[in-house]
Amino acid sequence: MFNILCIVGSRRKNGNTATLVKEAMKAFDTEKVQAELIFLDDYSFESCNGCNGCQNSFTCVIDDDMQKIYPKILASDAVVLGSPTYFYNITAETKAFIDRCFCLDFFDEDDRSVWISINDTGKQKYAAVISVAEQHSEKDMGVTPEVMKNSLESLGYRVVDVVKALGLFSAGEAAHDTTALQDAYNAGEKLLRTLRLRRKIEILMQNKKSE
Ligand SMILES: Cc1cc2nc3c(=O)[nH]c(=O)nc-3n(C[C@H](O)[C@H](O)[C@H](O)COP(=O)(O)O)c2cc1C
């Protein structure tokens, strides 16, 4: 059973990001996957205040709704993270969410250029990123896809796909964009196929041990 956490960083519940994240989730429609969809807007949490109270403890000291999300992150094998572009970047909710995941990283005491994430300590975790923008040129997405990809990588995920859905403005327009829908579904499928490969390797290793 794979556990996949799907996160929408737009406040529009029926928006394009939600539509595409849900499309990616269609690929998880098997009894072997437990997928959960969360909207960051349903959770009330502050932005990171940089107190470093989490330093090497994996525990953020701010007692708010992020405390409900951390266990979901830890329990999941993979995440789908989606955000629309707001002024060439991810939304404020998505940024606050990522910043609050800082507590999941663990730094070398003498050399802060060396770190690992709590996500690195168990089985490899994977992610897919879905970015959405109104304009038709990738340039107008600014850093949206890269911010999500790079941040997830620094949090220990291997990002297997980055969807860039362009030309979507009104809420739910994505439902009529066959290319964007296909790209999102493919991202979900790629994530699941990657997890299946991880499982195959685990079984091969177990078999080797018992030989
Ligand atoms: C505050 C704000 C800033 C935006 N900035 C950009 C932008 O820089 N580039 C762009 O292409 N679209 C921009 N958009 C358009 C959204 O990315 C677009 O409407 C997207 O489909 C919204 O996704 P959602 O339906 O999931 O909320 C902006 C929208 C808002 C509300």
Side-chain angles (χ1 to χ4, degrees):
M1 173 76 87
F2 302 122
N3 184 324
I4 306 180
L5 181 62
C6 305
I7 304 161
V8 175
S10 166
R11 299 183 71 179
R12 298 205 292 197
K13 285 265 164 65
N14 296 313
N16 298 313
T17 310
T19 303
L20 296 178
V21 169
K22 285 182 196 164
E23 193 66 18
M25 289 178 79
K26 288 187 184 165
F28 311 148
D29 211 1
T30 129
E31 72 283 1
K32 298 262 166 51
V33 178
Q34 189 188 316
E36 184 181 7
L37 176 67
I38 65 167
F39 291 86
L40 293 179
D41 194 39
D42 286 341
Y43 296 82
S44 170
F45 56 89
E46 294 175 27
S47 53
C48 174
N49 60 19
C51 73
N52 286 328
C54 60
Q55 192 107 331
N56 296 355
S57 71
F58 302 127
T59 309
C60 178
V61 297
I62 305 174
D63 188 14
D64 60 13
D65 281 354
M66 269 306 289
Q67 302 301 340
K68 296 180 186 162
I69 303 180
Y70 293 130
K72 297 180 192 294
I73 296 171
L74 296 182
S76 59
D77 297 288
V79 299
V80 175
L81 178 60
S83 175
T85 296
Y86 274 16
F87 285 102
Y88 310 98
N89 212 320
I90 56 177
T91 60
E93 289 76 18
T94 313
K95 183 73 172 89
F97 165 74
I98 290 173
D99 289 351
R100 288 289 300 280
C101 289
F102 188 57
C103 62
L104 303 179
D105 278 346
F106 197 92
F107 291 81
D108 182 275
E109 274 173 26
D110 304 315
D111 181 357
R112 285 190 59 84
S113 74
V114 177
W115 80 90
I116 63 164
S117 164
I118 192 168
N119 288 322
D120 286 313
T121 57
K123 294 175 184 178
Q124 173 71 57
K125 293 195 177 195
Y126 303 95
V129 160
I130 296 179
S131 34
V132 182
E134 164 190 0
Q135 300 302 326
H136 292 264
S137 159
E138 221 178 287
K139 177 175 74 59
D140 293 312
M141 278 198 148
V143 295
T144 311
E146 287 75 21
V147 167
M148 288 191 279
K149 181 176 187 283
N150 295 345
S151 304
L152 287 168
E153 283 175 356
S154 84
L155 287 164
Y157 295 91
R158 183 151 78 75
V159 179
V160 301
D161 207 358
V162 177
V163 174
K164 298 173 186 173
L166 294 159
L168 298 170
F169 175 61
S170 302
E173 250 179 28
H176 311 290
D177 183 333
T178 48
T179 307
L181 290 170
Q182 190 65 55
D183 287 352
Y185 182 85
N186 290 348
E189 196 174 45
K190 201 165 176 183
L191 201 54
L192 184 56
R193 282 179 185 275
T194 309
L195 286 169
R196 285 198 182 120
L197 282 182
R198 189 188 76 178
R199 182 74 195 124
K200 272 188 191 163
I201 291 174
E202 280 166 13
I203 293 168
L204 282 172
M205 300 294 278
Q206 276 165 14
N207 290 347
K208 262 194 190 300
K209 263 192 205 157
S210 56
E211 265 173 21

mmCIF file of all heavy atoms in Angstrom, residues 2 11 24 41 54 62 72 79 81 84 90 100 139 151 161 167 175 189-190 209:
data_model
loop_
_atom_site.group_PDB
_atom_site.id
_atom_site.type_symbol
_atom_site.label_atom_id
_atom_site.label_comp_id
_atom_site.label_asym_id
_atom_site.label_seq_id
_atom_site.Cartn_x
_atom_site.Cartn_y
_atom_site.Cartn_z
ATOM 1 N N PHE A 2 0.682 2.107 -0.970
ATOM 2 C CA PHE A 2 1.425 3.367 -1.008
ATOM 3 C C PHE A 2 0.536 4.486 -0.482
ATOM 4 O O PHE A 2 -0.657 4.526 -0.765
ATOM 5 C CB PHE A 2 1.840 3.712 -2.443
ATOM 6 C CG PHE A 2 2.680 2.666 -3.101
ATOM 7 C CD1 PHE A 2 2.261 2.071 -4.291
ATOM 8 C CD2 PHE A 2 3.887 2.272 -2.548
ATOM 9 C CE1 PHE A 2 3.034 1.101 -4.903
ATOM 10 C CE2 PHE A 2 4.664 1.308 -3.150
ATOM 11 C CZ PHE A 2 4.237 0.715 -4.338
ATOM 12 N N ARG A 11 -6.139 28.929 -3.185
ATOM 13 C CA ARG A 11 -7.319 29.080 -2.324
ATOM 14 C C ARG A 11 -8.595 28.780 -3.093
ATOM 15 O O ARG A 11 -9.667 28.732 -2.498
ATOM 16 C CB ARG A 11 -7.356 30.494 -1.736
ATOM 17 C CG ARG A 11 -6.123 30.762 -0.876
ATOM 18 C CD ARG A 11 -6.171 32.127 -0.238
ATOM 19 N NE ARG A 11 -7.180 32.167 0.820
ATOM 20 C CZ ARG A 11 -7.421 33.243 1.573
ATOM 21 N NH1 ARG A 11 -6.718 34.337 1.364
ATOM 22 N NH2 ARG A 11 -8.339 33.217 2.495
ATOM 23 N N ALA A 24 -4.240 14.159 -11.507
ATOM 24 C CA ALA A 24 -3.073 13.314 -11.197
ATOM 25 C C ALA A 24 -3.505 12.173 -10.280
ATOM 26 O O ALA A 24 -3.056 11.030 -10.423
ATOM 27 C CB ALA A 24 -1.986 14.149 -10.534
ATOM 28 N N ASP A 41 -5.452 25.935 2.295
ATOM 29 C CA ASP A 41 -6.347 26.970 2.802
ATOM 30 C C ASP A 41 -7.279 26.453 3.910
ATOM 31 O O ASP A 41 -7.867 27.247 4.645
ATOM 32 C CB ASP A 41 -7.172 27.528 1.633
ATOM 33 C CG ASP A 41 -7.863 28.829 2.003
ATOM 34 O OD1 ASP A 41 -7.241 29.640 2.707
ATOM 35 O OD2 ASP A 41 -9.035 29.010 1.618
ATOM 36 N N CYS A 54 13.431 24.679 15.855
ATOM 37 C CA CYS A 54 13.295 23.300 15.345
ATOM 38 C C CYS A 54 14.645 22.639 15.150
ATOM 39 O O CYS A 54 14.707 21.447 14.850
ATOM 40 C CB CYS A 54 12.573 23.326 13.994
ATOM 41 S SG CYS A 54 13.430 24.282 12.719
ATOM 42 N N ILE A 62 6.035 26.163 16.607
ATOM 43 C CA ILE A 62 4.783 26.914 16.453
ATOM 44 C C ILE A 62 3.609 25.928 16.499
ATOM 45 O O ILE A 62 3.547 24.981 15.705
ATOM 46 C CB ILE A 62 4.749 27.705 15.123
ATOM 47 C CG1 ILE A 62 5.970 28.622 14.998
ATOM 48 C CG2 ILE A 62 3.453 28.509 15.018
ATOM 49 C CD1 ILE A 62 6.090 29.322 13.645
ATOM 50 N N LYS A 72 1.106 13.750 8.300
ATOM 51 C CA LYS A 72 0.715 13.294 6.954
ATOM 52 C C LYS A 72 1.948 13.227 6.050
ATOM 53 O O LYS A 72 2.090 12.313 5.238
ATOM 54 C CB LYS A 72 -0.323 14.253 6.333
ATOM 55 C CG LYS A 72 -1.647 14.324 7.085
ATOM 56 C CD LYS A 72 -2.589 15.294 6.380
ATOM 57 C CE LYS A 72 -3.811 15.639 7.209
ATOM 58 N NZ LYS A 72 -4.704 14.507 7.443
ATOM 59 N N VAL A 79 4.533 12.803 -2.546
ATOM 60 C CA VAL A 79 3.617 13.939 -2.533
ATOM 61 C C VAL A 79 3.418 14.469 -3.954
ATOM 62 O O VAL A 79 4.308 14.372 -4.797
ATOM 63 C CB VAL A 79 4.086 15.113 -1.626
ATOM 64 C CG1 VAL A 79 4.211 14.716 -0.179
ATOM 65 C CG2 VAL A 79 5.384 15.716 -2.124
ATOM 66 N N LEU A 81 2.522 18.177 -5.286
ATOM 67 C CA LEU A 81 2.382 19.552 -4.794
ATOM 68 C C LEU A 81 2.011 20.459 -5.965
ATOM 69 O O LEU A 81 2.723 20.500 -6.978
ATOM 70 C CB LEU A 81 3.696 20.027 -4.150
ATOM 71 C CG LEU A 81 3.712 21.463 -3.626
ATOM 72 C CD1 LEU A 81 2.660 21.699 -2.537
ATOM 73 C CD2 LEU A 81 5.101 21.824 -3.087
ATOM 74 N N PRO A 84 -0.604 27.572 -8.202
ATOM 75 C CA PRO A 84 -0.642 28.506 -9.325
ATOM 76 C C PRO A 84 0.502 29.498 -9.210
ATOM 77 O O PRO A 84 1.097 29.645 -8.140
ATOM 78 C CB PRO A 84 -1.988 29.224 -9.140
ATOM 79 C CG PRO A 84 -2.396 29.021 -7.737
ATOM 80 C CD PRO A 84 -1.627 27.844 -7.184
ATOM 81 N N ILE A 90 5.306 30.913 -6.454
ATOM 82 C CA ILE A 90 4.235 30.129 -5.841
ATOM 83 C C ILE A 90 3.365 31.038 -4.972
ATOM 84 O O ILE A 90 3.757 32.158 -4.655
ATOM 85 C CB ILE A 90 4.822 28.957 -4.996
ATOM 86 C CG1 ILE A 90 5.810 29.468 -3.939
ATOM 87 C CG2 ILE A 90 5.485 27.938 -5.900
ATOM 88 C CD1 ILE A 90 6.363 28.389 -3.030
ATOM 89 N N ARG A 100 7.664 26.123 6.424
ATOM 90 C CA ARG A 100 7.423 25.447 7.706
ATOM 91 C C ARG A 100 7.947 24.002 7.697
ATOM 92 O O ARG A 100 8.033 23.367 8.750
ATOM 93 C CB ARG A 100 5.936 25.496 8.051
ATOM 94 C CG ARG A 100 5.449 26.880 8.457
ATOM 95 C CD ARG A 100 5.945 27.336 9.824
ATOM 96 N NE ARG A 100 5.509 26.449 10.891
ATOM 97 C CZ ARG A 100 4.318 26.456 11.454
ATOM 98 N NH1 ARG A 100 3.412 27.343 11.042
ATOM 99 N NH2 ARG A 100 4.013 25.618 12.426
ATOM 100 N N LYS A 139 8.030 31.625 -19.478
ATOM 101 C CA LYS A 139 8.751 32.718 -18.803
ATOM 102 C C LYS A 139 7.846 33.397 -17.763
ATOM 103 O O LYS A 139 8.298 33.816 -16.704
ATOM 104 C CB LYS A 139 9.187 33.713 -19.896
ATOM 105 C CG LYS A 139 9.881 34.951 -19.457
ATOM 106 C CD LYS A 139 10.344 35.757 -20.653
ATOM 107 C CE LYS A 139 9.260 36.508 -21.417
ATOM 108 N NZ LYS A 139 8.458 37.497 -20.713
ATOM 109 N N SER A 151 12.747 22.953 -3.641
ATOM 110 C CA SER A 151 12.438 22.842 -2.215
ATOM 111 C C SER A 151 12.152 21.395 -1.840
ATOM 112 O O SER A 151 12.642 20.896 -0.811
ATOM 113 C CB SER A 151 11.222 23.708 -1.860
ATOM 114 O OG SER A 151 11.456 25.042 -2.243
ATOM 115 N N ASP A 161 8.410 14.341 -11.850
ATOM 116 C CA ASP A 161 7.762 15.054 -12.951
ATOM 117 C C ASP A 161 7.383 16.474 -12.525
ATOM 118 O O ASP A 161 7.019 16.708 -11.366
ATOM 119 C CB ASP A 161 6.502 14.312 -13.412
ATOM 120 C CG ASP A 161 6.169 14.597 -14.880
ATOM 121 O OD1 ASP A 161 6.892 15.396 -15.518
ATOM 122 O OD2 ASP A 161 5.190 14.029 -15.390
ATOM 123 N N GLY A 167 -1.680 29.119 -19.804
ATOM 124 C CA GLY A 167 -2.877 29.633 -20.464
ATOM 125 C C GLY A 167 -4.172 29.336 -19.732
ATOM 126 O O GLY A 167 -5.234 29.265 -20.351
ATOM 127 N N ALA A 175 -10.282 21.975 -16.645
ATOM 128 C CA ALA A 175 -11.105 20.790 -16.922
ATOM 129 C C ALA A 175 -11.345 20.607 -18.418
ATOM 130 O O ALA A 175 -11.714 19.516 -18.856
ATOM 131 C CB ALA A 175 -12.441 20.906 -16.193
ATOM 132 N N GLU A 189 0.724 9.083 -12.823
ATOM 133 C CA GLU A 189 1.073 7.717 -13.224
ATOM 134 C C GLU A 189 2.574 7.460 -13.053
ATOM 135 O O GLU A 189 2.986 6.400 -12.581
ATOM 136 C CB GLU A 189 0.660 7.500 -14.678
ATOM 137 C CG GLU A 189 0.640 6.041 -15.038
ATOM 138 C CD GLU A 189 0.082 5.790 -16.430
ATOM 139 O OE1 GLU A 189 0.471 6.512 -17.372
ATOM 140 O OE2 GLU A 189 -0.738 4.876 -16.549
ATOM 141 N N LYS A 190 3.366 8.459 -13.402
ATOM 142 C CA LYS A 190 4.823 8.319 -13.275
ATOM 143 C C LYS A 190 5.218 8.130 -11.809
ATOM 144 O O LYS A 190 6.100 7.327 -11.483
ATOM 145 C CB LYS A 190 5.481 9.577 -13.856
ATOM 146 C CG LYS A 190 6.909 9.388 -14.261
ATOM 147 C CD LYS A 190 7.348 10.529 -15.149
ATOM 148 C CE LYS A 190 8.807 10.404 -15.486
ATOM 149 N NZ LYS A 190 9.278 11.535 -16.288
ATOM 150 N N LYS A 209 18.173 -11.757 0.316
ATOM 151 C CA LYS A 209 18.551 -11.995 1.712
ATOM 152 C C LYS A 209 18.189 -13.406 2.148
ATOM 153 O O LYS A 209 18.917 -14.044 2.886
ATOM 154 C CB LYS A 209 17.823 -10.984 2.619
ATOM 155 C CG LYS A 209 18.675 -9.795 2.957
ATOM 156 C CD LYS A 209 18.007 -8.999 4.068
ATOM 157 C CE LYS A 209 18.452 -7.558 4.040
ATOM 158 N NZ LYS A 209 17.526 -6.667 4.672
#
